[in-house]
Amino acid sequence: MTDDSGIHPEAAHPEDGEHVPGERAVRRPRSLDPVELGFTPRRPVPWLAPFLLISTGIRTLLAMLFGAYLDKRELQNALDARIARQVGPDGGLWLDYVADLGDGFNATYSVAYLLAQPELVVDGHRLPRAQTLVMGGDQVYPSAGYEAYEDRCKGPYQAAMPVAPPERPTLFAVPGNHDWYDGLTAFLRIFVRSRDRHFGGWGTGQSRSYFAVELPGDWWLLGLDDQSGSYLDDPQLAYFDEVARRLGPGSRVVLAVPAPTWVKAVDHPTAYDSIDYFIRTIIAPTGAHVRLLISGDLHHYARYAGPDRQLVTCGGGGAYLYPTHKLPQRIEVPPKDTLSRRASRTRGYDLAGCYPDAARSRRYGWGIFARLPFRNPGFTTLLGTVHTLLMLAMAGTAANRAGTTEQRLFSVPLVIMVGVALLGAAFFAKPPSAGGKRHVRHWILGIGHGLTHVGLAAAGTWAWLALPLYEWPWPLPAVAAAVVYGPVIGLVSSQVVAAYLLIAGSFGVNLNELFAGQGIEDAKSFLRLHVTPDGALTIYPIAVDRVSRDWRLNPDQSPTASWLLPKGPLTPRLAEPPITLT
């Protein structure tokens, strides 16, 4: 194994038009035009868009069925097995952690902009720019692809810090499930390269999809790639076996993983098995201690505190907000009912802090009524189309007339439409991509939701038949239904879905859809960590209550200055007081 003995050497500010060897020269944009920026700022992903729901479901299914065939981790055994070392000029180190970032431009760039500033003053704490940046997974949405990475991730981060400042910060990245949708191809091309090793102003520091970094004070940062929760491959275990040779009883470990399986294990006891196996077989024999587990995947900040370890979720880098009000107040890790043999000793962890707080999270949930139809116009259109067909089928049955041959060709039997409504609602309550078991509450809520739509269709049919439009000669009734009835019933049925999501969310069902359907850009978060030369580690959980939505060109033309500035204030604060580990 090779050793990267430190962060990039200091370098003078390159003048405009000059660049550091191996780094592309970056011309500053003269406008906000995508041609000038070099990428296209994207709107947030409309997660309930019909085609996106279908394509995401297909990608998830393919990843489940063929993930082993697309797994490139075994091939990485031929790549360099670098163990990096990161130490700042004063013998300590500032390190940032951000995850779930590659979504809409406003939220992603707001966080990237804060990460790139020379200093942040947060609730009286002066926090200098980090010398190391860790991206914790899901660097792009909705699925991996080079263009998506450029527009939703790399482009905004280059705009935030176009070229490297003198301290030459380094970037390490953990792949999440969305990074895995193409078998990790785009991720490896961007973050694991043998040349042109930079990501905006950050140099890329890893040689595989996983990494190990020696930090000051005998701290170690280990980033795992568990291929969307499946298993740890043999080359990866061999790599960390070599890392373990450098650990000792005084070593302390920060473990960055793709998902907070300590929380997910509450409903899926086997979810934590891979991490437990890694800690039990790689770390524990050395006498080292895992003091901090960090993850993204759930788009909020939450910290569980135990007797000797902190479990932190911080997925607030740009993707839609995920709720905190249904988080368990206490978890047991590893869970006692895991099937893993010789599991580690179970310990209790209490929810010590979260952002947003539970009360604010509940208030966000009520926003579904206003946000659902307008953030997801395709979903509203789909609802209107289905309800229009259901109404026409009911109207034809109620009128008890077969109609003309052309009318019969364009009509759908009532029993089929009712079946589509009921089955669609039942599957919506527990999408196949959600994983886990389907419980009784899913069936009750799903079928109840479907019956509500059938009842709405019956009411709509009664109202429609009371109008003279249905008596017009064919095909005018169908045209009128599409033009008049469809948009109205689409909005009304979207409110039925919104009410269902709010009710189901109180039972822990469709929580993801309740918040994904809103696409909330605000309430973002990231971590800034400081390791002192003597080995104390302090975590500053930084919250951004409101992201910027308006940008202007930065009049500062120095190469390292961010291209765009927020027109309004972008004010970070602490999500909770700093946490110090020794």
Side-chain angles (χ1 to χ4, degrees):
M1 292 201 177
T2 59
D3 181 62
D4 184 4
S5 57
I7 60 177
H8 293 282
E10 291 188 357
H13 284 288
E15 298 298 330
D16 199 11
E18 299 180 1
H19 63 281
V20 175
E23 181 177 50
R24 293 177 298 175
V26 179
R27 181 181 61 81
R28 298 185 68 83
R30 293 168 291 188
S31 72
L32 302 184
D33 187 271
V35 175
E36 285 289 317
L37 293 173
F39 67 95
T40 302
R42 299 290 185 181
R43 295 176 60 84
V45 175
W47 285 104
L48 294 187
F51 290 112
L52 182 61
L53 286 172
I54 293 171
S55 63
T56 302
I58 292 174
R59 289 189 182 98
T60 303
L61 180 62
L62 291 175
M64 292 170 59
L65 295 177
F66 303 108
Y69 301 100
L70 299 175
D71 196 340
K72 292 182 173 63
R73 293 178 303 172
E74 300 285 350
L75 301 178
Q76 294 181 50
N77 199 33
L79 301 177
D80 187 16
R82 179 182 300 126
I83 299 176
R85 183 171 181 265
Q86 298 279 285
V87 181
D90 62 351
L93 185 76
W94 287 90
L95 183 149
D96 281 339
Y97 178 89
V98 63
D100 302 279
L101 52 140
D103 201 335
F105 176 77
N106 289 332
T108 298
Y109 185 73
S110 292
V111 174
Y113 173 82
L114 293 173
L115 294 172
Q117 298 315 294
E119 182 181 73
L120 296 179
V121 179
V122 184
D123 293 352
H125 300 275
R126 306 186 72 88
L127 310 178
R129 178 169 50 211
Q131 294 120 352
T132 304
L133 172 63
V134 177
M135 291 183 173
D138 288 347
Q139 278 69 243
V140 66
Y141 292 96
S143 61
Y146 190 76
E147 183 178 357
Y149 271 112
E150 286 289 329
D151 289 344
R152 295 186 180 274
C153 180
K154 190 174 182 180
Y157 272 75
Q158 179 169 308
M161 193 161 72
V163 297
E167 64 268 24
R168 307 288 294 161
T170 307
L171 167 68
F172 299 88
V174 172
N177 61 302
H178 287 267
D179 301 296
W180 260 102
Y181 281 163
D182 70 340
L184 219 59
T185 299
F187 179 92
L188 294 174
R189 288 176 179 172
I190 292 175
F191 297 104
V192 182
R193 306 180 60 149
S194 59
R195 64 183 302 277
D196 210 14
R197 297 178 60 87
H198 67 94
F199 188 94
W202 291 268
T204 53
Q206 65 199 84
S207 57
R208 299 186 181 187
S209 60
Y210 41 89
F211 56 85
V213 186
E214 183 181 1
L215 307 177
D218 204 12
W219 280 90
W220 285 79
L221 169 66
L222 308 183
L224 301 189
D225 176 9
D226 68 351
Q227 203 247 17
S228 301
S230 58
Y231 72 102
L232 298 174
D233 57 291
D234 189 64
Q236 184 171 185
L237 292 174
Y239 170 84
F240 284 112
D241 277 333
E242 186 66 27
V243 173
R245 299 180 196 278
R246 304 192 183 192
L247 304 180
S251 301
R252 292 154 294 179
V253 176
V254 177
L255 197 58
V257 296
T261 54
W262 47 90
V263 175
K264 297 188 175 187
V266 173
D267 294 319
H268 315 298
T270 61
Y272 188 76
D273 284 356
S274 290
I275 296 177
D276 182 55
Y277 175 82
F278 181 84
I279 295 175
R280 190 175 69 248
T281 63
I282 303 293
I283 306 299
T286 69
H289 300 279
V290 177
R291 298 299 314 280
L292 174 63
L293 274 165
I294 51 176
S295 168
D297 190 64
L298 297 182
H299 310 158
H300 57 224
Y301 168 78
R303 178 175 65 89
Y304 285 88
D308 59 357
R309 185 177 299 166
Q310 302 287 321
L311 311 177
V312 175
T313 306
C314 189
Y320 66 87
L321 177 67
Y322 190 81
T324 60
H325 62 273
K326 298 301 288 186
L327 286 171
Q329 293 299 307
R330 183 174 176 82
I331 58 177
E332 293 184 330
V333 183
K336 292 180 179 179
D337 52 353
T338 179
L339 298 178
S340 179
R341 295 180 181 177
R342 294 183 298 173
S344 304
R345 174 187 169 190
T346 296
R347 291 179 171 84
Y349 293 82
D350 295 310
L351 182 61
C354 66
Y355 174 80
D357 60 38
R360 186 179 177 190
S361 177
R362 288 191 185 92
R363 289 196 297 271
Y364 271 128
W366 283 92
I368 189 65
F369 293 100
R371 294 189 180 102
L372 176 64
F374 302 107
R375 296 289 176 90
N376 305 273
F379 184 71
T380 305
T381 302
L382 175 64
L383 289 173
T385 302
V386 171
H387 268 275
T388 300
L389 293 174
L390 188 55
M391 181 274 292
L392 291 175
M394 286 185 173
T397 302
N400 194 23
R401 65 186 187 187
T404 64
T405 302
E406 293 82 3
Q407 186 172 354
R408 289 197 298 271
L409 288 173
F410 284 92
S411 64
V412 181
L414 178 59
V415 64
I416 293 179
M417 289 309 305
V418 171
V420 168
L422 292 176
L423 287 176
F427 278 105
F428 185 71
K430 184 66 174 178
S433 60
K437 295 181 179 179
R438 185 181 295 271
H439 298 287
V440 174
R441 66 179 184 273
H442 295 104
W443 287 110
I444 294 175
L445 289 166
I447 294 175
H449 182 206
L451 290 173
T452 303
H453 281 283
V454 172
L456 175 63
T461 302
W462 174 81
W464 183 254
L465 290 176
L467 299 175
L469 300 177
Y470 188 69
E471 300 298 331
W472 291 355
W474 180 262
L476 292 180
V479 174
V483 174
V484 178
Y485 184 85
V488 173
I489 199 65
L491 285 173
V492 173
S493 59
S494 73
Q495 297 305 290
V496 171
V497 174
Y500 159 76
L501 289 174
L502 193 63
I503 295 170
S506 65
F507 293 94
V509 174
N510 285 127
L511 265 178
N512 183 60
E513 287 73 21
L514 173 62
F515 277 73
Q518 300 186 59
I520 298 169
E521 295 182 276
D522 294 320
K524 295 295 166 274
S525 56
F526 63 93
L527 305 178
R528 181 154 290 181
L529 295 82
H530 183 218
V531 184
T532 62
D534 61 0
L537 185 150
T538 302
I539 306 168
Y540 298 89
I542 298 177
V544 184
D545 291 327
R546 181 173 174 80
V547 304
S548 178
R549 289 163 172 80
D550 295 299
W551 306 93
R552 61 184 176 89
L553 286 176
N554 190 352
D556 183 355
Q557 294 295 302
S558 58
T560 58
S562 300
W563 287 349
L564 308 178
L565 297 178
K567 289 186 178 180
L570 189 59
T571 308
R573 67 177 180 87
L574 290 178
E576 64 170 333
I579 305 101
T580 299
L581 309 178
T582 56

